[in-house]
Amino acid sequence: AALLMLSTMASCSDQDSQAPATGDEAYLNLSFSTASATTSRASRAGDIGKDDETQANPNTESDIHSIKVWVFKSGTGESANPIAYKEDRPTADGGGTVNGTYTLNLRFLRKINGVELEKIDLYILANSESTKMAEKLEGKDLRSITRADLQKVTFNAPFGITKEGKAETTEVPTEGLPISRAITNIEIAKHAADTEIEAKSKSISIPLVRAVSKLHFYFARKNTAEAMTENVKVTRIEIDGNTFPKES
């Protein structure tokens, strides 16, 4: 699945400031984590919340500066519009960050065209500003953007590889690293509630995946006389051409 990429093009959508749910509406409590360096991007709802995370290094790789969430009805096609959308920043004044974890409450309608929702899909994107690709979505309303628009938007700069084989970015940018995930077929009955407080007891734990990866190579000499590795030198490392995508 294509990495979601968006930049801030609208003011913060504060759904929590609206009137309480009336019975036709429900709340989700989403608990995001970004520390993992190994979490799969698998989209099956059963994969969410696995306790197999490892800490990022440096810690700023896991910083959340901003986050955007789209809710779609499961089973809808590429032309579908979201049934809910929310964007937020970690602090009330919009000037801070959080490291590793962040919780967001989101409200949506239980019924669409009079039909009760059974399952939903979540599209999540953090730190979209670091991709600097606003022109890809210029003129689009994030509240009504289609599923296809989210799936097809990609980025490369400023996280690509130069012609000399060097990384364009070698430090975590001030806007943070782009982080995302798509989770499909989430059962409403298991996770939705009539109030924010009730939703906390049904919270969905979602490990997010960083879009930018790095490789480390470690070499060790054998500490035995017969190993004859004292004068061995690594002169070159070659990576298969298909390992690194030209865009994400």
Side-chain angles (χ1 to χ4, degrees), residues 115-135:
V115 179
E116 190 89 18
L117 282 176
E118 295 183 359
K119 295 182 179 181
I120 57 174
D121 303 337
L122 294 178
Y123 287 73
I124 306 118
L125 177 66
N127 305 336
S128 58
E129 295 79 11
S130 63
T131 57
K132 305 184 188 303
M133 297 291 285
E135 65 270 17

Side-chain angles (χ1 to χ4, degrees), residues 62-181:
S62 294
D63 282 351
I64 297 176
H65 296 255
S66 66
I67 196 159
K68 299 175 177 67
V69 181
W70 290 263
V71 183
F72 289 87
K73 178 182 177 181
S74 295
T76 53
E78 292 187 345
S79 61
N81 298 111
I83 60 175
Y85 166 74
K86 184 170 185 177
E87 60 180 87
D88 200 9
R89 290 183 176 271
T91 59
D93 60 6
T97 63
V98 293
N99 182 264
T101 60
Y102 187 57
T103 299
L104 182 73
N105 290 306
L106 188 148
R107 195 175 69 181
F108 64 97
L109 291 174
R110 288 182 180 272
K111 294 182 178 180
I112 303 297
N113 297 325
V115 179
E116 190 89 18
L117 282 176
E118 295 183 359
K119 295 182 179 181
I120 57 174
D121 303 337
L122 294 178
Y123 287 73
I124 306 118
L125 177 66
N127 305 336
S128 58
E129 295 79 11
S130 63
T131 57
K132 305 184 188 303
M133 297 291 285
E135 65 270 17
K136 292 267 183 135
L137 292 170
E138 186 175 358
K140 295 184 183 295
D141 184 353
L142 300 188
R143 297 173 183 270
S144 59
I145 195 169
T146 66
R147 189 192 294 266
D149 284 331
L150 289 178
Q151 292 176 336
K152 73 182 180 182
V153 178
T154 59
F155 74 90
N156 43 34
F159 299 104
I161 305 296
T162 66
K163 292 181 179 179
E164 292 74 29
K166 304 293 184 180
E168 291 180 343
T169 298
T170 57
E171 296 181 353
V172 178
T174 56
E175 302 90 347
L177 292 179
I179 307 171
S180 71
R181 194 148 187 210

Side-chain angles (χ1 to χ4, degrees), residues 187-202:
E187 294 186 41
I188 297 297
K190 290 184 178 180
H191 299 289
D194 292 334
T195 67
E196 289 185 29
I197 295 177
E198 292 174 343
K200 289 182 180 180
S201 65
K202 299 181 176 183

